[in-house]
Amino acid sequence: MDSVHAPDEDEQPGGSLRTADIDRARRALALALAASPFAALWRVSPALAAKAAVAAPADAPAAASEFTGRWVHAFAAYGAPKYGPDFTHFDYVNPDAPKGGTLRLKNPDRRTSFDKYNPFTTRGNSPAGVVIWMFESLAHLGADEPMTMYGLLAEAINVAPDFGGATFRLRPEARFSNGDPVTAEDVRHSFAMMSGKEASPALQTQLAGLARVVVVDPRTVRFEFRDRTREQVFVAGTMPVFSRKWGAGRKLDEIVTDFPVASGPYVIDKVDMPRRIEFRLDPGYWGKGLAVRRGHFNFERVVYRNYGDEAVAREAFKAGEYDLMKEYRSRAFVRMHAGVKWDDGRIVKAVLPTRYGQYLQSYQLNMRRPLFQDVRVREALVYTYDFDTVNKTRAFTRASSMFNNSEFAARGTPSAGELALLEPFRAELPPRVFGPAFVSPDTGGDPLRLRRNLLAARDLLALAGWKLDAGGTLRDAKGEPFVFEYMVPRVANVTDWQRNLRKLGIEMKVRQVDFALYRRRLQQYDFDMVAIVEGRFTLPQGGDLAAIYGSKSADEQGNSNFRGLKSRVVDALIDAMNRANTLEELRDASRALDRVVMWNFYQIPDLYSGREPISYWNRFGIPKTMAHYFQADTYYGLVEHTPWPLYTWWDKGREGAAPVAAAGRT
């Protein structure tokens, strides 16, 4: 699950500071685990590049209301699912992939050790692989269409027409690793445990939109929602489910070293705590014949080794200690993922494109501070940031939207649908909202263009009442200097930006604090400016955006409205997103919101990326078709797509080998 992050200048949005108590539930505090657009810089696997032909998703063929109020095999946020009830497998798998071999991996995040197996509590660290390989949910998100889930533990789904709840009918064959059937009471128990006070606070937050779970009968369970939105259907459908016998009789935070009793395809086989854990494919896995599972889980064993240092981990990869490495630093990917083993093909360097939309990564200005309450001042600061100089590796794209890399970003002038939403607020909106979409200023690395940007900033500051004194310091009408603090949890190189600001008489101080203090000051909104990555999406969610931009969250400490934004226009447009009944309505509301947020300069846009940069040892068989929405090596559950390489690739040394012999359940 994702966490707070202040990105380094050459780090892709994904080098997150992972902690057990801040995770995906706080998407506004979150990182996008997305990679960088490195294709122009590095040699990409031709086979993978051919699989990456991705087009913008087509409009959904029908409204979701046609698929509510009755039992269905799958549910899409808008329109019809891609695959019908008789489908046999997803297009992005090889249904006949051979089984066997060992997949060797490193910890996919910054956990360097583990001391428990329970991934749902705050204290301690669990192995990353526990959630990836052991836990399942009622439904599975398809990876080649926006926000569509197919029954997994559940054979059928019935969503209430008013989105007040959803009912799931469990498969009679669904079993936990101990052989027990998965029952409605297990689902209710899982929800009670993970939404209770012993669970991670962020997990509680993510489940807060679910009011309760009702056991209808042993195989039927109904979720009732506090928030009547489509998003809650997916939260309910992707919530991990585990057996009541896991730590029976104890509170969730008292379950520490008990191996999970879950329904997933793998069980823990060998452990060398705190550094190494080995999972074994359960030959009696109940779901291996399902359409949603065919072509998945092709390795007989999966071994994780934790490394305490990234440099050591990188050298271990080159030595062949593990098979696949996702790189989070663009410079490292350029300079260090190279050498004889790449040149002769033993290691393949690849940039895997995804269709994930990217929310903003930006420098967020705390408008609770009087310094940032004038829109002209905020716009001036946008002109001082020279992204083209910072983007030394040319690995990233400048953000110009709340919804980068997606069809939900504003384009051209407002459509009729957008205007219908914006017109009632025309008097309180900047005129530019009704013109062409916002585009971040650039320099192309040209000093003359940078000079023009700084002159534009100077003029805006003068209009806002700021003047240079005899010593070259910019001061307001009261004589106060223009000084602000950029708070970071680790070293940040912003010397170029500071130099640009000094030319205008502005001083930006960099304050580095430890992560515990950084998090506390964020929760208390005690800062001038911070860098935040707001996450990624397949379809933008109004619930996510309300936490980041909504007026209510601005006054609630511990929430995610770091900007201090209070706008009835923004609130109305987020509400319009929540009420959208078609993809077109969602698109219009999103684009209208995009125009309002970007033209009010509530932040200084930074960068985004929609790719996964990896190197892997050339020992994998790979499906002919790529997934569209996936991660390379991570999965944290709850409305999240699974790691396509880990789940669907196979050991090509097993091609033509005899199948792995089935054995009794253990």
Side-chain angles (χ1 to χ4, degrees), residues 531-550:
I532 295 292
V533 188
E534 292 176 344
R536 65 183 181 186
F537 61 90
T538 52
L539 295 176
Q541 300 293 325
D544 292 350
L545 299 175
I548 304 171
Y549 298 92

Side-chain angles (χ1 to χ4, degrees), residues 275-335:
R275 298 293 183 190
R276 191 175 185 277
I277 186 169
E278 186 167 336
F279 300 90
R280 172 177 54 83
L281 182 64
D282 181 355
Y285 170 52
W286 74 273
K288 59 187 174 184
L290 298 179
V292 292
R293 287 303 193 223
R294 284 197 66 193
H296 291 75
F297 311 121
N298 300 317
F299 295 94
E300 186 176 5
R301 309 187 82 81
V302 180
V303 179
Y304 281 89
R305 180 175 175 181
N306 284 20
Y307 296 86
D309 181 86
E310 278 298 306
V312 172
R314 201 173 285 115
E315 292 305 312
F317 172 73
K318 294 177 184 178
E321 289 188 12
Y322 59 97
D323 299 321
L324 182 149
M325 182 179 189
K326 177 178 173 179
E327 183 59 71
Y328 288 95
R329 295 183 180 274
S330 62
R331 292 179 194 171
F333 197 61
V334 171
R335 299 171 183 173

Side-chain angles (χ1 to χ4, degrees), residues 489-508:
R490 59 189 175 200
V491 175
N493 182 2
V494 290
T495 54
D496 289 334
W497 194 2
Q498 288 174 307
R499 186 182 305 113
N500 294 341
L501 290 164
R502 281 197 297 270
K503 291 177 181 178
L504 299 173
I506 299 172
E507 181 182 4
M508 179 173 72

Side-chain angles (χ1 to χ4, degrees), residues 400-401 406-416 418-419 422 431-439 591-592 594-596 598-599:
S400 292
S401 169
S406 81
E407 62 177 320
F408 301 97
R411 300 174 182 175
T413 55
S415 66
E418 293 171 66
L419 287 173
L422 293 169
R432 286 182 288 186
V433 167
F434 296 88
F438 173 84
V439 177
R591 290 180 176 180
D594 193 19
R595 296 176 192 277
V596 172
M598 300 309 295
W599 280 119

Side-chain angles (χ1 to χ4, degrees), residues 43 318 336-347 617:
R43 179 171 59 86
K318 294 177 184 178
M336 300 179 187
H337 288 240
V340 174
K341 293 175 183 177
W342 279 268
D343 294 339
D344 65 20
R346 282 177 287 172
I347 298 178
W617 281 83

Side-chain angles (χ1 to χ4, degrees), residues 577-624:
M577 292 179 64
N578 285 330
R579 290 184 287 102
N581 287 315
T582 66
L583 201 58
E584 182 180 9
E585 290 177 0
L586 179 65
R587 189 164 48 233
D588 284 341
S590 299
R591 290 180 176 180
L593 176 64
D594 193 19
R595 296 176 192 277
V596 172
V597 167
M598 300 309 295
W599 280 119
N600 274 290
F601 301 96
Y602 297 132
Q603 61 284 307
I604 300 165
D606 193 11
L607 57 85
Y608 74 90
S609 168
R611 307 206 178 196
E612 296 275 291
I614 64 171
S615 283
Y616 59 89
W617 281 83
N618 192 6
R619 57 181 61 143
F620 292 108
I622 300 174
K624 294 179 180 178

